[in-house]
Amino acid sequence: MAFIQKRGKGKNTYAVIYSYKDPQSNKNISKWECGFTKEEAERRRDEINMQQRDGCFILPSDQTVREFFEEWLPVQALKSRWGLSSYSSNRGIVINHINPHIGELKLQKVTSEDIDKLYATLLQTKRGQYVQGIRQRWTPAQEAKKKCLSTTMVKEVRDVLNAGFETAVEWKRITRNPMPKKGPQKDSVEREIWEADTVLAALEDLEDDPLLHLLVHMTFIGSLREGEAVGVQLSDINFDFKGVGAFSVTKTIQRVRKDALTSVNEKTILFRFPEVFSGKKSILVLKKLKTKSSERVIFMTPQLREEIQTRLKQIEEDKERLGERYFDYGLLICQPNGRPIEPALSYKRFKKWLAQQEGQYPDIVFHGLRHSSSTYKLELSEGDIKSVQGDTGHKTAGVLLNTYAHIRNQPRMELTKKIAREFYKQSDSHAAASSNSEPPKTADEPLPASDVTEKLIITMLKNSPDLQQKLLRALIAPDA
């Protein structure tokens, strides 16, 4: 039974005193919780009494947030079957975004207010401010160039915190999850993409760099991720497949932390590339793709087929020239000595070339080529989502449409005209009501787009599944 007691003469502070049985020693332990006002002490007393009566009393603990998440991470990684990238990402979130700010708080003392203040702090924190939990020191000029953490990153921090605190409740470390009901609002920023003619022009200007040319070409035609492109092996290529030739996408190259290899399921690792420099905390690996749905076959265009054949001849020449000094890992995209090219280096190589063009091309990240490819294929196929999904390897069409289908203005203008034509084919009564003296307008004489109200369009879309499909196809149709 818990009770309260006033502390000190003339002070308006109270303590809550109660006893509990230590499960390890099986002895009764007396506990004092101090620093309450009278009202707070009464609430805490009643809470303890109710928990002890109902058998859900949480033993007092001085475990910190840092200590709990260090315990939780490896357990959650195995339980949720995290991949190497997921483990490394979540570990980085804990070390660089959670521990520096609330890591020393007692787990049982964390409140919703603490989490809200953490969000506010993170939104004002520069990217790269903490590396392996160590605060970086920058000059004022360096700091001025740094951007603050994105709302996407802060949302990822929220997801990790929420998962951790939920487990803490299940493990009976805390009585309730302290996460606020609402998290920070996520900004929606659309990734920059290239039009098809821009990609074609870039390929022409890349003729002097055959390897980067092939990398860009394969990425755009195959809608590949960076690691997938550099992970294609010669054994994945079949020039006779279906009469056109194709290559399989079943693997990816990724740099991972060595400690992650001991914390997650290693069955996805196909090969560990030997280290060039010893003493690094990370290693380059060839691994299976994250999901079976990501595995796919990419058909070659005649131009890509010819370029890959040329690349194979170059590889044979490199092998003959270097002999035993050639490291044969069977990679299509590799260094002259056969060693792998990790995704980060291919990205840097592309950005370096882009900078040398002095603004001739829109500034995009390498992954933007995958977005460009997906958008172009959706337009060219007139909305054949399943075919495009087969190239991109997305598990659901929703991810493809919501993330990779970028909005372009010219198709939107054409869309308005097409909706107007379709709408007035099905709504003669509205056309007749527009004028008592004039004859109804026909499908050959559609009303101007400006006369089509949003309300009427929405009504027609709700009542016509066929029109909904036509709307989708019109939205992503190529420019007229």
Side-chain angles (χ1 to χ4, degrees):
M1 178 70 68
F3 61 93
I4 65 174
Q5 180 173 312
K6 191 173 183 180
R7 296 280 291 172
K9 294 182 179 180
K11 294 182 179 179
N12 192 30
T13 60
Y14 289 77
V16 179
I17 308 166
Y18 58 93
S19 62
Y20 63 92
K21 182 169 289 188
D22 185 358
Q24 294 182 347
S25 64
N26 203 32
K27 294 181 179 179
N28 286 328
I29 305 296
S30 180
K31 176 72 175 178
W32 288 55
E33 292 185 13
C34 305
F36 296 107
T37 65
K38 185 176 183 180
E39 292 77 11
E40 291 171 342
E42 289 173 344
R43 284 198 300 269
R44 177 58 177 155
R45 176 199 61 193
D46 295 342
E47 180 183 35
I48 293 171
N49 287 335
M50 182 178 65
Q51 290 175 355
Q52 289 184 333
R53 183 185 67 243
D54 296 341
C56 58
F57 177 68
I58 304 297
L59 295 177
S61 171
D62 290 330
Q63 185 179 43
T64 64
V65 171
R66 180 193 302 273
E67 292 167 344
F68 172 77
F69 276 93
E70 286 177 356
E71 179 186 2
W72 172 79
L73 264 176
V75 175
Q76 187 70 13
L78 293 174
K79 176 183 176 182
S80 301
R81 302 187 68 179
W82 285 347
L84 293 168
S85 59
S86 295
Y87 176 82
S88 298
S89 174
N90 291 331
R91 179 180 180 276
I93 286 173
V94 171
I95 291 176
N96 297 320
H97 303 313
I98 295 177
N99 287 347
H101 305 293
I102 63 170
E104 303 312 314
L105 291 181
K106 297 291 190 294
L107 181 66
Q108 294 182 347
K109 298 293 185 181
V110 177
T111 65
S112 297
E113 182 180 356
D114 293 324
I115 305 302
D116 276 330
K117 288 180 178 179
L118 172 63
Y119 294 153
T121 298
L122 291 176
L123 290 170
Q124 300 177 66
T125 300
K126 300 291 186 179
R127 299 179 187 180
Q129 183 71 75
Y130 291 89
V131 177
Q132 293 301 305
I134 300 174
R135 185 181 178 89
Q136 304 302 295
R137 303 299 178 186
W138 297 322
T139 65
Q142 289 174 323
E143 186 169 1
K145 295 179 181 179
K146 301 288 184 179
K147 295 181 179 179
C148 290
L149 293 174
S150 67
T151 53
T152 299
M153 174 53 69
V154 178
K155 182 182 180 301
E156 291 177 5
V157 173
R158 180 186 184 278
D159 292 342
V160 171
L161 281 171
N162 189 59
F165 286 132
E166 283 292 327
T167 301
V169 173
E170 294 175 3
W171 290 357
K172 298 188 182 301
R173 304 293 176 82
I174 55 178
T175 57
R176 63 179 183 83
N177 188 337
M179 295 295 290
K181 291 182 179 180
K182 289 186 178 181
Q185 293 295 316
K186 180 180 175 181
D187 295 334
S188 179
V189 180
E190 190 168 275
R191 190 183 296 271
E192 184 76 29
I193 65 170
W194 278 356
E195 301 289 344
D197 56 354
T198 304
V199 178
L200 191 60
L203 288 174
E204 292 177 357
D205 288 339
L206 278 166
E207 293 292 347
D208 294 336
D209 190 340
L211 195 60
L212 185 56
H213 185 285
L214 177 59
L215 189 59
V216 171
H217 198 181
M218 285 181 61
T219 298
F220 184 77
I221 297 301
S223 306
L224 305 179
R225 301 175 179 89
E226 297 95 313
E228 294 173 343
V230 296
V232 172
Q233 294 181 296
L234 306 189
S235 58
D236 299 321
I237 302 169
N238 184 348
F239 290 112
D240 299 322
F241 189 78
K242 302 290 185 180
V244 296
F247 59 89
S248 301
V249 180
T250 60
K251 303 176 287 291
T252 183
I253 288 180
Q254 184 179 331
R255 179 166 289 281
V256 300
R257 289 184 58 84
K258 292 178 181 177
D259 56 12
L261 296 175
T262 61
S263 302
V264 299
N265 186 354
E266 293 188 60
K267 293 180 181 179
T268 60
I269 304 298
L270 299 172
F271 182 75
R272 302 185 188 191
F273 293 101
E275 296 182 69
V276 179
F277 303 103
S278 61
K280 283 196 170 185
K281 295 182 179 180
S282 60
I283 189 173
L284 207 60
V285 300
L286 182 71
K287 61 183 289 291
K288 296 178 183 178
L289 296 182
K290 192 172 185 179
T291 61
K292 291 294 292 185
S293 62
S294 296
E295 297 181 3
R296 57 205 189 273
V297 173
I298 303 298
F299 294 103
M300 301 181 196
T301 61
Q303 294 83 353
L304 179 58
R305 174 191 174 112
E306 181 180 349
E307 185 172 3
I308 291 177
Q309 290 173 330
T310 301
R311 172 60 185 164
L312 295 183
K313 293 177 182 178
Q314 180 61 55
I315 290 175
E316 290 302 317
E317 292 177 6
D318 291 338
K319 288 181 180 180
E320 185 175 349
R321 176 173 53 86
L322 294 174
E324 294 182 355
R325 292 178 295 160
Y326 187 88
F327 300 89
D328 193 356
Y329 300 118
L331 297 171
L332 177 65
I333 304 291
C334 58
Q335 299 179 42
N337 63 359
R339 289 190 183 277
I341 297 177
E342 62 179 288
L345 294 182
S346 63
Y347 168 79
K348 290 179 181 178
R349 186 166 179 170
F350 175 73
K351 292 297 286 185
K352 182 179 179 180
W353 173 84
L354 199 58
Q356 292 171 347
Q357 306 312 303
E358 298 179 343
Q360 181 179 348
Y361 297 98
D363 187 18
I364 66 170
V365 298
F366 193 84
H367 193 71
L369 293 172
R370 175 169 157 87
H371 283 250
S372 303
S373 170
S374 303
T375 301
Y376 177 63
K377 289 176 180 179
L378 282 169
E379 294 175 356
L380 202 62
S381 67
E382 296 186 344
D384 188 350
I385 299 170
K386 284 299 180 182
S387 292
V388 180
Q389 187 181 349
D391 271 5
T392 62
H394 288 110
K395 187 174 183 179
T396 64
V399 176
L400 171 62
L401 292 175
N402 295 333
T403 306
Y404 287 82
H406 293 251
I407 297 174
R408 298 170 60 243
N409 286 329
Q410 184 60 35
R412 290 179 64 235
M413 290 187 288
E414 294 301 319
L415 168 65
T416 304
K417 298 176 184 178
K418 290 179 180 180
I419 290 178
R421 289 195 296 270
E422 291 294 333
F423 176 77
Y424 285 104
K425 285 179 181 177
Q426 304 179 53
S427 184
D428 293 337
S429 60
H430 175 75
S434 64
S435 174
N436 293 326
S437 58
E438 296 181 4
K441 293 182 181 292
T442 66
D444 296 328
E445 299 177 293
L447 289 178
S450 59
D451 293 339
V452 182
T453 67
E454 179 180 348
K455 183 176 180 180
L456 291 171
I457 293 173
I458 293 175
T459 300
M460 291 304 301
L461 287 172
K462 286 182 177 179
N463 296 329
S464 174
D466 182 60
L467 185 57
Q468 294 172 13
Q469 182 64 24
K470 290 181 180 180
L471 168 62
L472 175 62
R473 291 182 181 275
L475 179 62
I476 59 180
D479 294 352

